[in-house]
Amino acid sequence: MRIAVTGGAGFIGSNFVRDLVAGRFPVLDVQQMVVIDNLTYAGTLSNLTDVLDDITFHQTDICDTGTVTRHLADCDAVVHFAAESHVDRSIKSGLPFMRSNMLGTQSMLEAAAAAGVGRFVHISTDEVYGSVPVGSSSEDAPLAPNSPYAASKAGSDLAALAFARTHGLPVTVTRCSNNYGPYQNAEKAIPHFVTTLLGGGNIPLYGTGTNVRDWLHVSDHGNAVAQLLAGTPKESIYNIGGGFQLTNLELARIILDEMELDSDRISFVPDRKAHDARYCVDDSRLRDEFGYRPQRDFATTIRETIAWYSDNKSWWHE
Ligand code: NAD
């Protein structure tokens, strides 16, 4: 299979590309990989240094439909990760989010159809369901986004599903919970906590730290995407859960414990606007149809993740 990966210089995209090149997703037989990324502040070629000889990289904005269409020539599938992805930035200004996430997705869909691509996997997020105080969101739960980021992702999901119905492009939308692992921009929770502690500061916790997130290792996310791409999904939307829920305060305490630091290295800061209390997806559809299970144990991989940021200071100081 020849695949194009958008956003492949960012956190999840670059892990997906490196895992594929390393043969860690044997279910997917990839002969050729095209990576499309315009290298915003969140994307860097240093995330792909080890694999640059194995891929074709294009520094291109996904909104440039004509150029993207040419990049997609001969590709069998698109995995569309590219997006503006940080909620706090979307609260300061939602415009880049609406542009890259909504317009950019429409552009990718039109380019994929024009280039004759046979499969399109649109990577979305559990945040489109909004806050879920109890229980879990199935794929047919109403979309109720609360941040401009989540609204832009919900809009892109609807655009992808409508495009599939209108033009017959085989589209799969995935909605995943919070990812963690190496190469994540230090503005996001886990690297932010770890790098702040390494710099001698305290973990800044929003509100009272009671917000609940469900955590999935980035390679388990990639593995789920690879299974969907290799198979013939019966449905158009699949949730991907981590099955490991923590309050932000519990997460902070685990990190402090792992780093052997005092438990009082936490500073509570004013809460994020419209901060969702809890996300939780029901991913039984993916589990039942594909036998999907997260393979990585949180205790081991959070230790590895902390060690990665500790050992790669030059990467996050870039
Ligand atoms: P990221 O911010 O680390 O990477 C995004 C990448 O997209 C960057 O390399 C950036 O340069 C590129 N990009 C942004 N706008 C672009 C444009 N207009 N043209 C070309 N490239 C562009 O994000 P991430 O955390 O890797 O997330 C990847 C995808 O996964 C996103 O769609 C996000 O919504 C989704 N997701 C993320 C998480 C998570 O926990 N990080 C969870 C669920 C879903």
Side-chain angles (χ1 to χ4, degrees):
M1 187 184 267
R2 292 157 298 185
I3 68 168
V5 179
T6 72
F11 164 49
I12 305 176
S14 69
N15 276 283
F16 183 71
V17 170
R18 275 194 313 280
D19 282 341
L20 271 180
V21 169
R24 282 192 275 271
F25 304 144
V27 69
L28 203 57
D29 183 17
V30 175
Q31 284 97 38
Q32 199 182 320
M33 218 180 326
V34 172
V35 174
I36 300 167
D37 196 303
N38 69 343
L39 303 181
T40 68
Y41 79 94
T44 163
L45 271 188
S46 66
N47 289 357
L48 296 169
T49 311
D50 299 346
V51 295
L52 277 177
D53 290 344
D54 302 287
I55 63 171
T56 304
F57 180 80
H58 297 291
Q59 183 172 356
T60 300
D61 189 326
I62 54 169
C63 296
D64 179 353
T65 320
T67 306
V68 171
T69 304
R70 287 193 289 281
H71 297 334
L72 297 185
D74 301 327
C75 285
D76 303 306
V78 169
V79 185
H80 176 41
F81 290 103
E84 290 291 337
S85 67
H86 190 40
V87 174
D88 287 345
R89 284 180 186 259
S90 81
I91 292 169
K92 286 189 186 119
S93 171
L95 285 173
F97 289 75
M98 299 304 160
R99 180 186 178 279
S100 287
N101 301 1
M102 292 179 64
L103 264 180
T105 297
Q106 183 67 26
S107 169
M108 283 307 306
L109 292 159
E110 295 195 7
V117 169
R119 289 284 303 280
F120 192 102
V121 181
H122 172 65
I123 307 295
S124 190
T125 166
D126 59 0
E127 301 195 28
V128 298
Y129 298 118
S131 198
V132 188
V134 289
S136 54
S137 315
S138 65
E139 287 83 353
D140 50 14
L143 300 182
N146 288 314
S147 71
Y149 162 66
S152 70
K153 293 298 292 187
S156 68
D157 291 12
L158 295 179
L161 294 167
F163 196 93
R165 283 193 292 271
T166 307
H167 297 289
L169 179 70
V171 168
T172 306
V173 173
T174 65
R175 294 179 179 150
C176 188
S177 59
N178 273 31
N179 285 214
Y180 65 96
Y183 298 94
Q184 186 172 29
N185 191 289
E187 68 188 359
K188 300 288 173 57
I190 289 179
H192 187 45
F193 291 1
V194 174
T195 58
T196 303
L197 290 168
L198 289 169
N202 285 359
I203 291 179
L205 263 198
Y206 280 133
T208 53
T210 50
N211 306 69
V212 175
R213 297 294 180 264
D214 176 42
W215 292 96
L216 179 71
H217 189 270
V218 64
S219 291
D220 278 325
H221 184 184
N223 188 34
V225 171
Q227 286 188 50
L228 283 163
L229 200 49
T232 312
K234 291 185 194 146
E235 307 285 348
S236 330
I237 309 172
Y238 289 83
N239 290 335
I240 308 173
F244 201 83
Q245 293 177 46
L246 292 171
T247 66
N248 289 340
L249 184 57
E250 286 167 337
L251 174 67
R253 288 192 173 134
I254 289 172
I255 291 173
L256 285 167
D257 200 38
E258 285 295 338
M259 294 177 75
E260 297 179 353
L261 294 169
D262 290 342
S263 57
D264 64 356
R265 294 274 300 273
I266 294 174
S267 299
F268 291 94
V269 298
D271 209 352
R272 172 189 273 170
K273 286 184 186 173
H275 199 176
D276 286 329
R278 179 173 173 271
Y279 303 122
C280 185
V281 290
D282 171 359
D283 63 1
S284 49
R285 177 178 285 180
L286 183 68
R287 289 175 183 255
D288 293 348
E289 196 178 319
F290 286 87
Y292 168 77
R293 301 282 180 282
Q295 300 297 314
R296 280 124 189 120
D297 148 72
F298 186 82
T300 310
T301 48
I302 193 69
R303 191 168 309 133
E304 290 168 2
T305 300
I306 293 168
W308 191 87
Y309 290 99
S310 181
D311 294 344
N312 290 279
K313 292 197 178 71
S314 59
W315 181 85
W316 48 269
H317 275 307
E318 254 180 10

